[in-house]
Amino acid sequence: MNSETYQLDETDRRILLALDNDPRVPIMMLAQQLGLARGTVQTRLERLAHSGALRPNTARILPSSMGRGVSAFVSAELNQSSLNEAIDALRRIPEVLECVAPAGETDLLIRVSATDPDDLYRVSEEIRLCPGITRTSTSMILRDVIPYRTTALLSKLSGTKN
Amino acid sequence: MNSETYQLDETDRRILLALDNDPRVPIMMLAQQLGLARGTVQTRLERLAHSGALRPNTARILPSSMGRGVSAFVSAELNQSSLNEAIDALRRIPEVLECVAPAGETDLLIRVSATDPDDLYRVSEEIRLCPGITRTSTSMILRDVIPYRTTALLSKLSGTKN
DNA sequence: GGCATGGCTGGTCATTTTGACTAAAATCCT
DNA sequence: AGGATTTTAGTCAAAATGACCAGCCATGCC
């Protein structure tokens, strides 16, 4: 179910783009707006929901609306042997919004959010204390220049066979 | 409309958490599941939609489902005077999914996605050629350890006054 | 060529949901 | 305490939903 990710086709993309503003528009509106039969849209929506191609809905929530006005990237080096413990520990910190493993010197790049600089300090301390983490370096995000988006990619793909 | 971000309250958070799996559940189900009146949920949903607290729906789409299996962070240094031109140029590259300005040596941290390493090279070239960008350094994301989430934060807040 | 498959269409049906609107009760704020 | 705001619980007509269906058209396979 997770081995090969579901690939969106042109119709999926059109539906998703049409849902961009309001994910709750009635299926019939979608259908006529896209020139599809209602049943088709209904089927696609159902399929999409189970496809694993979408993050959970709460991934749409901006940290700032939860009183977390301060964001930062924490890069961490770690004791390679205890990677999994470190990840588990990180997962248990609510302020850890995201974590990736990049190639290069830093082993983990962690995105955190906090209420204020003081709180940010607390969170990065908490990260530093995770088992297996040997060194961290925090850099605050000064500005959210382009917020996460896929719209441009979606549109680019549109008009292509696949 | 953008100066002060809307702050979610406890009810908003409960609604959003309940919507996490399926953003299209009927309002009545939500209402009875949460022990609220239908009208309340209806009002909150409408308010939420206009609050600016949520990213567009397409932000839920995983790049992998668009045939973009390769992700990377590109850090860029730039000629400070032409910041805005650089940003505009970046915005016009569909593969640029996100961009933040962190404190520290790198001026911009850019998240990109590509179909394969070759394509990634092409994209980073395209970034390097943006006006005002003087130097870039690309590091591929080997693993998506914790995908973007706010659920933990939402739950943490629950049970608090605000 | 002939056939099965899968997806889309356009139609039906009974049931449920929606949006808009009440008035009254509860809650919040100062 | 008093006013403002929110929530409740109720109504209504109109619309959407989910679950069907048979027909049609591509596609791929033997």
Side-chain angles (χ1 to χ4, degrees), chain A residues 9-69:
Chain A
D9 69 4
E10 174 67 17
T11 308
D12 291 321
R13 289 191 294 258
R14 292 214 301 142
I15 292 178
L16 287 168
L17 278 173
L19 279 176
D20 210 5
N21 311 308
D22 178 10
R24 293 186 61 96
V25 286
I27 300 184
M28 296 187 61
M29 309 242 110
L30 275 187
Q32 68 184 73
Q33 180 183 333
L34 299 177
L36 295 174
R38 187 178 73 101
T40 309
V41 180
Q42 193 169 325
T43 312
R44 306 300 280 236
L45 278 180
E46 187 135 350
R47 192 202 300 176
L48 275 172
H50 300 315
S51 67
L54 300 177
R55 290 179 220 275
N57 191 247
T58 45
R60 292 178 56 202
I61 303 174
L62 298 168
S64 55
S65 66
M66 293 185 292
R68 296 301 191 281

Side-chain angles (χ1 to χ4, degrees), chain A residues 114-127:
Chain A
T115 57
D116 54 66
D118 236 57
D119 189 41
L120 176 57
Y121 184 78
R122 177 187 63 78
V123 174
S124 50
E125 272 299 298
E126 209 171 322
I127 291 179

Side-chain angles (χ1 to χ4, degrees), chain B residues 53-160:
Chain B
L54 301 177
R55 291 180 219 275
N57 191 248
T58 46
R60 292 179 57 203
I61 303 175
L62 298 169
S64 55
S65 66
M66 294 185 292
R68 297 302 191 280
V70 176
S71 291
F73 277 108
V74 178
S75 39
E77 278 174 51
L78 49 81
N79 179 341
Q80 303 288 4
S81 61
S82 41
L83 175 66
N84 288 331
E85 291 100 282
I87 292 177
D88 280 349
L90 287 174
R91 218 188 299 275
R92 259 178 261 112
I93 303 178
E95 288 84 358
V96 169
L97 299 188
E98 189 179 13
C99 174
V100 301
E105 308 96 67
T106 46
D107 296 313
L108 292 179
L109 191 57
I110 307 158
R111 188 200 209 105
V112 303
S113 77
T115 58
D116 53 67
D118 236 58
D119 189 41
L120 175 57
Y121 184 80
R122 177 188 63 77
V123 174
S124 48
E125 271 300 297
E126 210 170 320
I127 291 178
R128 193 196 324 283
L129 295 177
C130 284
I133 290 191
T134 58
R135 201 203 315 276
T136 69
S137 145
T138 302
S139 94
M140 213 195 292
I141 295 178
L142 304 180
R143 194 150 92 81
D144 219 322
V145 176
I146 303 178
Y148 185 82
R149 58 159 193 179
T150 59
T151 327
L153 205 45
L154 271 189
S155 310
K156 180 192 181 182
L157 265 47
S158 285
T160 315

Side-chain angles (χ1 to χ4, degrees), chain A residues 60-122:
Chain A
R60 292 178 56 202
I61 303 174
L62 298 168
S64 55
S65 66
M66 293 185 292
R68 296 301 191 281
V70 176
S71 291
F73 276 107
V74 178
S75 39
E77 277 175 52
L78 51 80
N79 180 340
Q80 303 288 5
S81 63
S82 41
L83 175 66
N84 288 329
E85 291 100 284
I87 293 177
D88 280 349
L90 287 174
R91 216 188 301 274
R92 256 177 263 114
I93 304 178
E95 287 85 357
V96 169
L97 299 188
E98 189 180 12
C99 173
V100 300
E105 306 95 69
T106 46
D107 296 313
L108 292 178
L109 192 57
I110 306 158
R111 189 201 208 103
V112 303
S113 77
T115 57
D116 54 66
D118 236 57
D119 189 41
L120 176 57
Y121 184 78
R122 177 187 63 78

Side-chain angles (χ1 to χ4, degrees), chain A residues 5 8-9 29 47 60 87 90 130 136 139 154 157-159:
Chain A
T5 22
L8 304 174
D9 69 4
M29 309 242 110
R47 192 202 300 176
R60 292 178 56 202
I87 293 177
L90 287 174
C130 285
T136 68
S139 94
L154 270 190
L157 264 46
S158 284

